């Protein structure tokens, strides 16, 4: 049998495993997971989340593994669901539920995969609490080190599906957490001044991890314990803008009519010079056709790929962020009740999927322009958060606990051993506890946690790994076709919207094909990756 090692048993690893079942010939699969339970994934584990933290995706959007998430939920007992505040009689496929519950679904899917693979004649070994600490490739295959010890088998292909990468827990202190997933869930946070850098869902999750130690939500109203009256939390970002609530739209997505995949490919063939502006021109036509009233209101025709960002956020910047959040929540819930789609929002949501395929073809200048402008528009649109998260945010504001600060583009951050001080042009903010919740950052070859593999890749002189369409490494020649590289942080340079379950499924399917056919064409190297 062909021997495959799957490194990481979170969503990407699970979807790879699932796609491998399509192999005409049984395979020998070895799954390595650093956590105690394979199949859960860090974003959904009970060690890294509280029951207040909601998954930013509903069943209707989650690629199923044998059965849909909703079908699985309906097999659970009412008492089990009630532990997470979920009523079985109210389940539906557009519901946002606790991340831990989604982790249980993936765990059950993983166990079902193991059973089904064995039934089909596959050989399957699962190694839990087994972090892969190095990889090497020779003429005889791929070798691994597990827990810093050589593993005694060789593999024909190693699939790297290690997911998000956060700073180690030991980098955190009692007053500083480099991410919400670096020991925060286990930490005891006193009732003090807490600063959280980041106003997206990660920032809200960090706030939830703190407030749950000092009170409880009752129908989205927060009741602060008497002894915790000194608790004050400040969410911060350059703009001070809060995310909007997830909006209703048809799923699966309806096709675009102007900026289609075919139209995008035609523009790419014309060359990289001026590509971003040509694509933006088609984007304008698509939006004008979909929602002429909104397009006229923001004077879309007068904008370009650089100025749309300011127009996109202009109204929100003029309003108090909490008032805007409350009005937006009311609008979203009304539209969901009436099944009304806001055309311009839905069009931008679909546009980002077409445009992300063009990103690797931008010139260096256009790549930087895209990241500073349109990319932020798309991220704000698709990263809309569960309405209940907005209600809880408003509940914390009503309780006098939560505020939001716009730092501007020019500020100084001084993380001290006892206090963090942030200085802007107008104010100085001091925090007893500081949490960096700005999310996953794109990583480069130098950041790889596998020393030998890192050395191989650094011989190419490239800042990020060069991978094929099936995600196998293309350079150097010694690695070609031996390692499928689906580690999300290293893909974000040319695939900026890759952090989703649908994307995990697509990557998993592509990497599974690498086990069944020769490696395919190379993805384009990116000229704008900063040193």
């Amino acid at each position: 049998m062909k021997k495959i090692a799957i490194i990481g048993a979170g969503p990407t690893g699970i979807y790879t495993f699932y796609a491998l079942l399509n192999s005409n010939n049984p395979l020998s699969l070895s799954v390595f997971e650093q956590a105690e339970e394979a199949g859960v994934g860090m974003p959904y584990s009970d060690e890294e989340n509280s029951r207040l933290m909601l998954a930013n995706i509903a069943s209707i959007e989650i690629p199923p593994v044998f059965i849909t998430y909703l079908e699985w939920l309906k097999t659970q007992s009412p008492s089990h669901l009630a532990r997470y505040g979920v009523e079985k009689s109210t389940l539906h496929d557009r519901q946002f539920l606790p991340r831990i519950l989604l982790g249980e679904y993936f765990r059950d899917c993983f166990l079902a995969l193991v059973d089904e693979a064995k039934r089909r004649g596959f050989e399957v070994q699962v190694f839990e609490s087994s972090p892969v600490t190095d990889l090497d490739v020779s003429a005889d295959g791929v070798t691994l080190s597990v827990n810093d010890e050589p593993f005694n088998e060789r593999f024909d292909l190693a699939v790297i599906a290690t997911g998000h990468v956060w700073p180690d827990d030991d980098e955190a202190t009692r007053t500083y957490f480099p991410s919400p997933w670096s020991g925060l869930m286990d930490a005891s946070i006193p009732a003090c001044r807490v600063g959280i850098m980041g106003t997206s869902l990660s920032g809200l999750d960090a706030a939830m991890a703190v407030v749950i130690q000092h009170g409880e939500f009752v129908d989205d109203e927060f009741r602060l314990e008497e002894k915790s009256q000194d608790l004050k939390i400040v969410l911060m970002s350059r703009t001070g803008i809060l995310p909007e609530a997830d909006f209703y739209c048809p799923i699966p997505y309806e096709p675009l009519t102007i900026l289609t995949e075919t139209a995008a490919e035609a523009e790419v063939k014309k060359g990289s010079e001026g590509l971003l502006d040509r694509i933006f021109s088609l984007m304008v036509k698509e939006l004008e056709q979909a929602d002429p009233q909104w397009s006229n209101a923001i004077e879309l025709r007068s904008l370009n790929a650089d100025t749309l960002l300011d127009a996109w956020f202009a109204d929100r910047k003029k309003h108090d962020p909490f008032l805007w959040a409350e009005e937006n929540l009311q609008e979203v819930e009304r539209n969901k009740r009436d099944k009304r789609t806001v055309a311009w929002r839905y069009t931008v949501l679909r546009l980002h999927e077409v445009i992300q395929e063009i990103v690797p073809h931008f010139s260096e200048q256009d790549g930087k322009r895209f990241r500073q402008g349109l990319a932020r528009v798309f991220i704000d649109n698709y990263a809309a958060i569960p309405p209940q998260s907005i209600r809880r945010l408003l509940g914390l504001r009503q309780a006098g606990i939560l505020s939001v600060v716009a730092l501007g583009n020019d500020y100084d951050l001084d993380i001290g051993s006892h206090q963090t001080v942030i200085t802007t042009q107008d104010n100085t903010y001091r925090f007893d506890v500081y949490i960096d919740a700005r999310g996953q950052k794109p990583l480069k070859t130098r950041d790889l946690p596998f020393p030998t593999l890192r050395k191989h890749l650094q011989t190419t002189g490239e800042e990020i790994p060069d991978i094929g369409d099936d995600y196998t490494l293309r350079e150097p020649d010694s690695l070609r076709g031996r390692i499928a590289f689906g580690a999300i942080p290293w893909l974000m340079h040319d695939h900026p919207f890759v952090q989703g379950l649908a994307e995990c499924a697509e990557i998993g399917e592509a990497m599974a094909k690498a086990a069944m056919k020769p490696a395919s064409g190379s993805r384009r190297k990116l000229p704008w990756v900063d040193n």
Side-chain angles (χ1 to χ4, degrees):
M1 291 183 182
K2 191 170 187 179
K3 289 188 172 184
I4 312 295
I6 300 177
I7 303 168
T12 304
I14 288 173
Y15 285 117
T16 303
F17 194 157
Y18 187 44
L20 285 170
L21 293 185
N22 293 322
S23 173
N24 293 327
N25 300 307
L27 303 168
S28 174
L29 304 180
S30 297
V31 182
F32 298 87
E33 171 55 44
Q34 65 178 355
E36 293 180 0
E37 283 192 336
V40 178
M42 184 283 300
Y44 311 111
S45 72
D46 56 6
E47 295 178 353
E48 304 292 348
N49 295 274
S50 78
R51 296 177 186 179
L52 290 179
M53 297 179 180
L54 301 179
N56 198 22
I57 189 169
S59 177
I60 193 172
E61 300 173 278
I62 299 172
V65 179
F66 297 125
I67 62 173
T68 68
Y69 184 32
L70 180 60
E71 289 168 338
W72 177 86
L73 287 165
K74 290 180 177 179
T75 68
Q76 306 303 301
S77 69
S79 60
H80 182 66
L81 295 176
R83 291 175 53 205
Y84 300 96
V86 178
E87 293 183 23
K88 190 169 185 177
S89 61
T90 64
L91 288 171
H92 58 86
D93 63 0
R94 290 177 179 260
Q95 198 167 6
F96 296 100
L97 299 172
R99 288 184 186 170
I100 299 174
L101 200 53
L102 183 52
E104 291 185 9
Y105 165 71
F106 279 123
R107 169 67 174 175
D108 282 359
C109 288
F110 178 78
L111 296 176
L113 280 169
V114 172
D115 290 342
E116 178 62 18
K118 290 180 177 179
R119 190 188 69 79
R120 297 188 187 188
F122 285 57
E123 291 180 358
V124 182
Q125 297 182 89
V126 178
F127 301 91
E128 298 174 319
S129 299
S130 300
V132 173
T133 49
D134 205 2
L135 295 90
D136 197 5
V137 175
S138 68
D140 297 327
V142 183
T143 56
L144 309 178
S145 292
V146 178
N147 281 314
D148 295 317
E149 296 291 336
F151 191 74
N152 60 4
E153 289 187 44
R154 294 180 182 272
F155 300 93
D156 298 296
L157 178 74
V159 172
I160 299 178
T162 46
H164 292 86
V165 177
W166 307 113
D168 292 335
D169 289 3
D170 57 13
E171 293 186 32
T173 68
R174 291 182 300 170
T175 61
Y176 166 59
F177 297 87
S179 87
W181 300 279
S182 300
L184 179 62
M185 289 304 302
D186 296 326
S188 176
I189 307 297
C192 61
R193 284 188 57 80
V194 178
I196 299 175
M197 186 66 76
T199 54
S200 67
L201 186 58
S202 296
L204 299 187
D205 284 344
M208 295 302 160
V210 173
V211 300
I212 198 63
Q213 302 181 37
H214 298 281
E216 63 177 346
F217 281 98
V218 178
D219 296 328
D220 297 323
E221 177 184 323
F222 190 74
R223 297 181 181 177
L224 183 66
E225 295 175 357
E226 188 63 34
K227 64 180 181 180
S228 298
Q229 295 301 309
D230 291 335
L231 179 64
K232 302 295 178 185
I233 299 176
V234 181
L235 298 179
M236 300 169 286
S237 67
R238 295 183 187 277
T239 62
I241 290 174
L242 293 171
E244 295 192 312
D246 186 83
F247 52 89
Y248 176 85
C249 66
I251 300 175
Y253 295 161
E254 297 171 351
L256 297 169
T257 59
I258 297 174
L259 186 43
T260 60
E261 290 184 11
T262 301
E265 289 170 1
E267 294 301 326
V268 168
K269 289 178 181 178
K270 295 177 183 178
S272 62
E273 187 67 31
L275 177 59
L276 177 59
D277 294 320
R278 297 198 303 273
I279 290 297
F280 183 78
S281 178
L282 294 176
M283 179 176 163
V284 168
K285 292 177 181 178
E286 189 80 56
L287 283 163
E288 286 181 331
Q289 176 179 276
D291 199 327
Q293 184 176 353
W294 177 81
S295 299
N296 289 333
I298 69 163
E299 299 179 340
L300 185 58
R301 283 207 175 183
S302 69
L303 304 176
N304 57 41
D306 306 304
T307 58
L308 177 63
L309 179 67
D310 288 338
W312 180 267
F313 288 114
D315 280 349
R316 282 154 77 179
K317 286 183 177 180
K318 295 176 185 176
H319 291 77
D320 176 270
F322 293 100
L323 290 178
W324 184 275
E326 188 169 6
E327 291 177 3
N328 171 252
L329 178 63
Q330 293 173 358
E331 175 195 349
V332 162
E333 293 188 327
R334 183 170 59 250
N335 288 343
K336 287 189 175 184
R337 184 183 63 246
D338 299 338
K339 295 185 177 180
R340 176 180 177 269
T341 300
V342 177
W344 61 271
R345 291 186 192 277
Y346 185 40
T347 302
V348 172
L349 181 63
R350 291 173 291 159
L351 282 168
H352 98 266
E353 294 201 336
V354 174
I355 292 177
Q356 75 172 349
E357 300 301 324
I358 305 169
V359 173
H361 301 279
F362 287 147
S363 66
E364 179 176 2
Q365 180 182 3
D366 279 357
K368 291 180 178 179
R369 290 173 59 204
F370 177 77
R371 285 182 297 162
Q372 294 168 359
L374 281 183
R376 297 180 184 181
V377 170
F378 289 132
I379 290 170
D380 179 70
N381 175 261
Y382 79 72
I385 68 176
Q388 188 173 9
S389 295
I390 297 290
R391 288 194 291 272
R392 288 173 176 167
L393 179 150
L394 294 172
L396 293 176
R397 171 63 170 174
Q398 184 64 32
I401 298 170
L402 188 68
S403 60
V404 174
V405 166
L407 298 174
N409 292 320
D410 186 15
Y411 65 86
D412 293 321
L413 172 64
D414 181 16
I415 302 172
S417 58
H418 300 291
Q419 198 174 58
T420 292
V421 180
I422 297 178
T423 305
T424 69
Q425 292 181 339
D426 302 317
N427 290 292
T428 298
Y429 304 93
R430 300 179 185 276
F431 301 105
D432 304 302
V433 173
Y434 173 71
I435 305 165
D436 191 333
R438 286 175 286 187
Q440 179 68 65
K441 298 176 178 64
L443 300 179
K444 300 177 183 177
T445 297
R446 66 183 180 222
D447 302 310
L448 274 174
F450 312 114
T452 304
L453 177 61
R454 183 173 65 240
K455 289 178 183 177
H456 282 305
L457 290 171
Q458 286 177 328
T459 64
T460 69
E462 298 296 332
E463 290 291 328
I464 59 174
D466 180 20
I467 60 176
D469 292 335
D470 58 5
Y471 292 88
T472 54
L473 292 173
R474 301 287 293 170
E475 293 182 353
D477 288 344
S478 59
L479 303 181
R480 183 170 295 183
R482 289 295 197 178
I483 296 176
F485 194 88
I488 300 298
W490 286 269
L491 303 178
M492 291 171 62
H493 295 281
D494 67 336
H495 210 61
F497 314 125
V498 75
Q499 301 182 73
L501 291 178
E503 288 75 19
C504 288
E506 290 175 5
I507 293 169
E509 184 176 359
M511 291 196 296
K513 291 178 181 177
M516 298 177 262
K517 69 175 185 179
S520 61
S522 177
R523 293 159 67 94
R524 186 174 181 272
K525 298 173 185 176
L526 305 180
W528 66 82
V529 176
D530 299 325
N531 293 325

